[in-house]
């Protein structure tokens, strides 16, 4: 019975020793091992063997954000021996900061960081999560204090870059790499928000009036240009019309002159053929026109026909036929 008890105690002791001496480290995690209170090594992911009761992992603080009943966000700080090497995000609660123009503003920031040197993160700073949070808050106050409210609202990228540079430089000796900082919410006081809304509304009204004025200006310009083009087109049309009319009249006169010339040529030819005195021919023609006016009911006139013209009346018909182109 005593032998069985001894064997049981021995097996239990072996199990305890093995459990204390064999450490399995998950991927992306590590542990800092101390031997008799002094730094000894940093365990790698996988199976590791240490001396039981002589080597033990160093405890560190961790920060977790949990959602409690009612939707409240609760930040819990606990201790553990595991060091997470993945990129972590800290969502800091809103804090009040004062801008350069003395406006109190609430700002909520997000911090993305990663532990790159586990030894420094354990031995160079106590309570790393709390140190990062306080450093972020003080750095944020310093950066916002150098900017006015308008610059704070419109320069998030600039603020993020400056904060990231400041925090990365300050946490370098802690073995921490700050990858980026994001300002999540910037909330000015209620009175300032109302004033900003009124200013924005006034600015929109001003832009609307400017746009309306520019539209009316362009409309007047386009209308005047249209009237100008219309008058130019009308003047051009009148010009072309006058040119065409002048050309038509010139052409008509040319044709009339050519017709008269042709008529004179034919009359001359007819007179030459009949061997008639031209003066007598003209008197006979005038006599016939006077008779036509009398027949048509115009004022009667007494016409005296010279004796020389009476001999022409007989041959006048043939001359007129030649003149009319028969």
């Amino acid at each position: 019975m005593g032998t069985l008890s001894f064997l049981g105690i021995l097996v239990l002791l072996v199990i305890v020793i093995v459990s204390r001496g064999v450490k399995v480290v998950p991927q992306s995690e590590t542990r800092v091992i101390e031997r008799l209170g002094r730094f000894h090594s940093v365990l790698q992911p996988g199976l590791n063997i240490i001396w039981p009761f002589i080597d033990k992992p160093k405890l560190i603080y961790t920060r977790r954000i949990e959602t409690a009943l009612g939707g409240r966000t609760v930040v819990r700080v606990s201790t553990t021996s595991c060091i997470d090497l993945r990129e972590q995000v800290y969502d800091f609660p809103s804090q009040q900061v004062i801008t350069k123009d003395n406006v109190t503003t609430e700002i909520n920031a997000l911090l993305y960081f990663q532990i790159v040197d586990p030894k420094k993160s354990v031995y160079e700073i106590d309570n790393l999560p709390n140190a990062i949070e306080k450093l972020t808050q003080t750095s944020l106050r310093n950066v916002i204090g150098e900017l006015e409210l308008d610059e704070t609202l419109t320069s998030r990228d600039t603020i993020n870059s400056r904060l990231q540079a400041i925090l990365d430089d300050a946490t370098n000796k802690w073995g921490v790499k700050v990858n980026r900082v994001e300002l999540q919410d910037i909330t000015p006081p209620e009175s300032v928000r109302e004033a900003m809304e009124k200013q924005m509304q006034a600015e929109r009204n001003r832009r609307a009036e400017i746009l309306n004025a520019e539209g009316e200006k362009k409309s007047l310009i386009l209308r005047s240009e249209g009237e100008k083009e219309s008058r130019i087109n009308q003047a051009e049309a009148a010009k072309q019309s006058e040119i065409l009319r002048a050309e038509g009249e010139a052409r008509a006169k040319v044709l009339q002159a050519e017709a008269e010339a042709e008529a004179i040529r034919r009359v001359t030819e007819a007179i030459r053929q009949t061997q008639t005195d031209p003066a007598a021919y003209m008197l006979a023609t005038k006599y016939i026109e006077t008779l036509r006016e009398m027949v048509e009911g115009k004022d009667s006139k007494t016409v005296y026909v010279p004796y020389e013209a009476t001999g022409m009346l007989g041959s006048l018909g043939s001359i007129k036929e030649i003149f009319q182109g028969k």
Side-chain angles (χ1 to χ4, degrees), residues 50-258:
I50 62 175
W51 289 103
F53 307 106
I54 298 177
D55 297 340
K56 65 177 182 179
K58 175 70 176 178
L59 295 179
I60 61 172
Y61 292 95
T62 61
R63 185 176 184 271
R64 291 285 183 270
I65 299 178
E66 299 177 358
T67 302
L69 296 176
R72 295 184 300 107
T73 300
V74 179
V75 179
R76 299 187 184 277
V77 178
S78 59
T79 58
T80 181
S81 61
C82 296
I83 300 177
D84 198 337
L85 300 179
R86 296 172 297 179
E87 185 175 12
Q88 303 177 50
V89 55
Y90 280 180
D91 185 3
F92 300 111
S94 300
Q95 59 175 330
Q96 292 186 347
V97 296
I98 301 177
T99 61
K100 185 178 180 180
D101 49 353
N102 297 324
V103 178
T104 302
T105 307
E106 288 188 0
I107 297 181
N108 182 21
L110 293 175
L111 177 65
Y112 296 84
F113 72 96
Q114 187 175 9
I115 297 177
V116 295
D117 192 337
K119 179 181 177 181
K120 288 184 178 180
S121 67
V122 172
Y123 294 104
E124 295 294 335
I125 187 67
D126 181 31
N127 198 344
L128 180 62
N130 184 63
I132 293 178
E133 179 179 356
K134 299 304 180 184
L135 179 62
T136 302
Q137 291 176 350
T138 55
S139 301
L140 182 60
R141 290 192 183 99
N142 293 334
V143 172
I144 298 300
E146 298 175 357
L147 301 174
E148 295 184 354
L149 179 61
D150 293 340
E151 296 176 334
T152 303
L153 296 174
T154 58
S155 305
R156 292 197 180 193
D157 292 339
T158 302
I159 297 173
N160 294 339
S161 300
R162 293 181 60 183
L163 280 175
Q164 190 269 336
I166 293 173
L167 295 176
D168 187 47
D169 183 68
T171 58
N172 185 40
K173 67 175 184 178
W174 299 344
V176 174
K177 173 66 177 176
V178 177
N179 296 325
R180 62 185 182 275
V181 180
E182 298 289 343
L183 297 184
Q184 191 173 9
D185 296 318
I186 301 178
T187 308
E190 183 66 26
S191 58
V192 176
R193 291 202 299 271
E194 293 178 356
M196 291 174 61
E197 291 178 357
K198 293 180 180 179
Q199 181 182 2
M200 179 179 61
Q201 186 64 33
E203 181 66 18
R204 290 181 177 176
N205 293 335
R206 184 183 69 85
R207 292 180 180 178
E209 293 178 357
I210 291 175
L211 291 177
N212 291 333
E214 291 180 350
E216 293 177 358
K217 176 183 176 182
K218 291 182 179 179
S219 176
L220 292 175
I221 292 175
L222 292 176
R223 187 179 296 111
S224 63
E225 290 180 351
E227 294 177 354
K228 175 183 176 182
E229 292 292 334
S230 176
R231 292 177 181 177
I232 291 175
N233 292 335
Q234 292 177 359
E236 187 69 22
K239 174 183 175 182
Q240 295 294 332
S241 176
E242 292 295 331
I243 291 174
L244 294 176
R245 184 182 298 108
E247 292 178 350
E249 292 178 354
R251 182 62 179 169
K253 290 180 179 180
V254 171
L255 294 177
Q256 183 179 358
E258 291 178 352

